[in-house]
Amino acid sequence: MILITGGAGYIGSHCAINLLNEGKEIVIFDNLENGHIETVNLLKEIGNVHFVKGDLKNPDEINSVFDRYNIETVMHFAGYIEVAESVENPSKYYKNNIIGTLNLLDTMVNHKVKHIVFSSTCATYGEPLYTPLDEKHPQNPINPYGRTKLMIENILDDYDRAYGIKSIKLRYFNVIGADSKSRTGEWHTPETHLVPNILKSIFEKDRVFNIYGTDYNTPDGTCIRDYVNVEDLAQAHALACSYLKEQNKSDCFNLGTEKGSSVKEIFNAVKNVTGKNINVEFKPRRQGDSAILLADSSKAKKILNWHPEKTLEESINSAYQWEKIRH
Ligand code: UDP
């Protein structure tokens, strides 16, 4: 059985669907602070899902999951993810992300569970020294959120050396899109991400979409990111599980498409896909945004045999269908 911490959230729920489609039995552990019970209920309609509402900060709650279920592998998504909030309230981030993960890992040690796939991020690299970013790029995160993710990567390596826990760290670039059948999708409050923010201005009257910064050193002056589809990302997690089973080795992989899109290009693509006119305003740069973040994902392609398939338009369209349902 596979345990998914944070399985009621955005990326966790897509990974859950992917595993359920393969006939796997899963346990979701989520405190529902940012995850949604509606998502859990939908997952239960798809396959064999057990749900435990609990918090990783409470060791007894996670321990009881391992006592009750025969866990083989863990997928760890639970954690806070807002960069700006992490700068304002680092205590919240360190306590939740680090202590929660330590409690999870210690429970794994006690129950002799040896495999974990960890949801990491390109934010662990910090300001790029070169582009595209490969896994050897130095990791110097520039905000507490990124630092919690890097600390966890380091903790995982220490737990491998000391206790033989094998981990795959997946460093996501910009994840977009929703389930092709609109069963789950991006659902954050407040929403800070680009694609859902553009889409929300279609549905919410008086809402204006802001482009943050038009004076970057890029061809059109707006930031360039690597937008990877969430279902493709889910597939990488399934491959990471198989890799752990077959190779029993720790490793890290970048997950991106290796194609960059500027904020203006994404905005135009959303207009084309939806056929809607969207109000836009140009604002100053948002603090902490790098001009270009682009993945070199050749390692994931070669070693995990991961091949992202969805086009940008497909990702935007699935996100659009999901937003439609929610409005
Ligand atoms: N962005 C924007 N308007 C928004 C949200 C994001 O212009 O309402 C820009 C942001 O400045 C960045 C890019 O879109 O250059 C991607 O931002 P997002 O928050 O989606 O992901 P991040 O790269 O911060 O992880």
Side-chain angles (χ1 to χ4, degrees):
M1 202 175 303
I2 296 175
L3 168 66
I4 307 183
T5 74
Y10 174 42
I11 298 171
S13 62
H14 288 83
C15 289
I17 291 181
N18 191 288
L19 293 172
L20 294 171
N21 285 342
E22 288 178 7
K24 300 263 180 3
E25 191 174 358
I26 63 172
V27 190
I28 289 178
F29 183 83
D30 198 303
N31 64 7
L32 297 182
E33 192 181 328
N34 293 310
H36 304 276
I37 192 66
E38 294 88 336
T39 307
V40 174
N41 292 336
L42 262 158
L43 294 174
K44 283 184 174 166
E45 286 173 23
I46 302 171
N48 209 341
V49 179
H50 306 265
F51 174 61
V52 178
K53 183 171 183 289
D55 198 310
L56 287 178
K57 289 196 290 306
N58 184 339
D60 292 341
E61 289 181 6
I62 186 62
N63 192 60
S64 69
V65 174
F66 282 77
D67 279 343
R68 188 158 151 209
Y69 298 101
N70 185 16
I71 311 289
E72 277 170 87
T73 305
V74 177
M75 283 191 187
H76 180 34
F77 299 95
Y80 292 137
I81 58 159
E82 289 300 328
V83 170
E85 187 189 41
S86 79
V87 175
E88 278 156 31
N89 194 354
S91 165
K92 176 177 171 179
Y93 276 67
Y94 287 112
K95 276 193 196 119
N96 187 67
N97 293 6
I98 304 294
I99 296 177
T101 302
L102 284 171
N103 287 338
L104 172 67
L105 290 175
D106 288 344
T107 312
M108 288 176 66
V109 172
N110 291 337
H111 288 79
K112 302 191 169 44
V113 175
K114 299 281 187 190
H115 291 162
I116 179 166
V117 179
F118 174 56
S119 167
S120 191
T121 165
C122 66
T124 58
Y125 294 119
E127 204 53 55
L129 304 175
Y130 57 84
T131 194
L133 292 155
D134 57 19
E135 290 81 357
K136 294 196 182 87
H137 186 284
Q139 289 178 290
N140 290 307
I142 55 172
N143 53 60
Y145 160 70
R147 278 191 276 276
T148 64
K149 291 286 183 178
L150 177 58
M151 283 176 189
I152 295 169
E153 287 201 6
N154 293 333
I155 290 168
L156 286 168
D157 288 335
D158 287 335
Y159 272 59
D160 181 359
R161 280 184 284 268
Y163 313 117
I165 289 191
K166 304 295 172 191
S167 63
I168 299 293
K169 296 85 152 172
L170 297 177
R171 297 180 188 149
Y172 316 149
F173 282 66
N174 286 59
V175 187
I176 59 165
D179 173 55
S180 338
K181 295 183 182 160
S182 301
R183 292 166 294 190
T184 182
E186 204 160 359
W187 185 353
H188 300 123
T189 317
E191 188 51 76
T192 61
H193 294 108
L194 179 63
V195 171
N197 269 354
I198 305 174
L199 290 169
K200 280 183 196 306
S201 348
I202 296 176
F203 295 103
E204 294 169 21
K205 272 202 173 111
D206 304 329
R207 188 178 173 129
V208 178
F209 164 63
N210 295 319
I211 290 186
Y212 298 124
T214 51
D215 58 348
Y216 286 97
N217 188 16
T218 58
D220 68 16
T222 64
C223 290
I224 293 176
R225 295 285 180 277
D226 185 333
Y227 294 91
V228 55
N229 178 275
V230 68
E231 289 186 317
D232 282 335
L233 199 83
Q235 186 55 27
H237 289 72
L239 292 167
C241 277
S242 309
Y243 180 86
L244 280 171
K245 211 170 190 174
E246 285 154 22
Q247 306 287 331
N248 195 37
K249 267 199 314 216
S250 293
D251 213 333
C252 60
F253 300 95
N254 285 343
L255 298 180
T257 61
E258 309 187 298
K259 282 189 227 92
S261 305
S262 73
V263 175
K264 277 187 184 162
E265 283 170 340
I266 296 289
F267 177 65
N268 288 328
V270 174
K271 282 206 292 191
N272 286 338
V273 168
T274 62
K276 303 282 183 191
N277 210 12
I278 302 165
N279 293 329
V280 60
E281 278 180 17
F282 298 99
K283 298 280 179 190
R285 292 181 179 196
R286 198 173 67 174
Q287 225 193 336
D289 278 340
S290 307
I292 303 179
L293 289 174
L294 196 55
D296 175 341
S297 293
S298 48
K299 188 176 166 191
K301 286 181 179 155
K302 196 170 145 212
I303 297 180
L304 293 181
N305 199 21
W306 179 62
H307 297 284
E309 284 170 359
K310 304 277 186 201
T311 63
L312 187 63
E313 285 68 28
E314 284 172 317
S315 297
I316 291 172
N317 188 46
S318 62
Y320 179 47
Q321 300 311 321
W322 165 249
E323 281 297 333
K324 251 192 205 166
I325 288 176
R326 297 196 45 236
H327 282 89

